[in-house]
Amino acid sequence: SDVCSSDLGGLALSKLSAGYSHTCGISSVGTAYCWGGNASGQLGDGTTTNHLSPAPVTGGPVFASIDVGYAHTCGVASSGAGWCWGANESGQLGDGTTVGRLTPTAILGGRTFGSVLAGDKHSCGVASGGAAWCWGWNDLGQVGDGTTSTRSSPAAVIGGQTFTSLSAGSLHS
């Protein structure tokens, strides 16, 4: 939830997001920290080692927001660029591959996002201007592109709506 904050041993974090087995937050200077399960690299510290306390996400930008999915994490840099890391068997990182990443990787397309949300095995973002884009597992149409084809890079949500926010659930958006 974006309204939560915590002081963890002198490390003040805000914009906390909790997923299936891990949690992440952002410090006042935009450093992302994650802790918990890390079997797929979803903590973004370059390892698959679980952490009982917050570990900084490495190789990433200054973050403005962060969202945690099942076994992956996504965030938006202060520049508006989208980044994801962790499990990627269904293309949920949006980097055009199905290769998992232990550190942040840029979402393809060069879009500026207001938010990027991580679901179970898919992700979505609201781009500047309100267009919605989703990618990843799509067997039930959760990407919103009118198909059930899995997407490893962002696909436009059809319908012409302008969005101010989205939410990515387990099997739906």
Side-chain angles (χ1 to χ4, degrees):
S1 167
D2 286 341
V3 296
C4 295
S5 65
S6 181
D7 185 341
L8 301 164
L11 178 62
L13 299 176
S14 63
K15 300 181 181 177
L16 298 175
S17 179
Y20 178 75
S21 66
H22 71 293
T23 302
C24 296
I26 301 174
S27 74
S28 62
V29 296
T31 302
Y33 288 84
C34 298
W35 61 98
N38 194 29
S40 299
Q42 62 264 44
L43 301 185
D45 69 343
T47 75
T48 55
T49 303
N50 297 339
H51 290 283
L52 299 179
S53 59
V57 172
T58 60
V62 172
F63 284 97
S65 66
I66 197 163
D67 196 61
V68 172
Y70 181 78
H72 74 290
T73 306
C74 294
V76 176
S78 58
S79 67
W83 296 80
C84 294
W85 57 95
N88 195 29
E89 68 276 8
S90 298
Q92 61 263 45
L93 302 185
D95 66 352
T97 76
T98 54
V99 176
R101 307 291 180 179
L102 302 179
T103 58
T105 186
I107 298 168
L108 289 180
R111 290 171 194 84
T112 301
F113 289 100
S115 62
V116 175
L117 297 308
D120 185 357
K121 294 181 182 178
H122 75 288
S123 304
C124 294
V126 177
S128 297
W133 297 81
C134 294
W135 53 94
W137 193 31
N138 193 32
D139 67 328
L140 299 173
Q142 54 268 54
V143 169
D145 66 350
T147 76
T148 55
S149 299
T150 294
R151 306 288 181 191
S152 62
S153 59
V157 173
I158 63 171
Q161 297 91 349
T162 300
F163 293 87
T164 56
S165 66
L166 289 173
S167 181
S170 179
L171 300 173
H172 63 287
S173 301

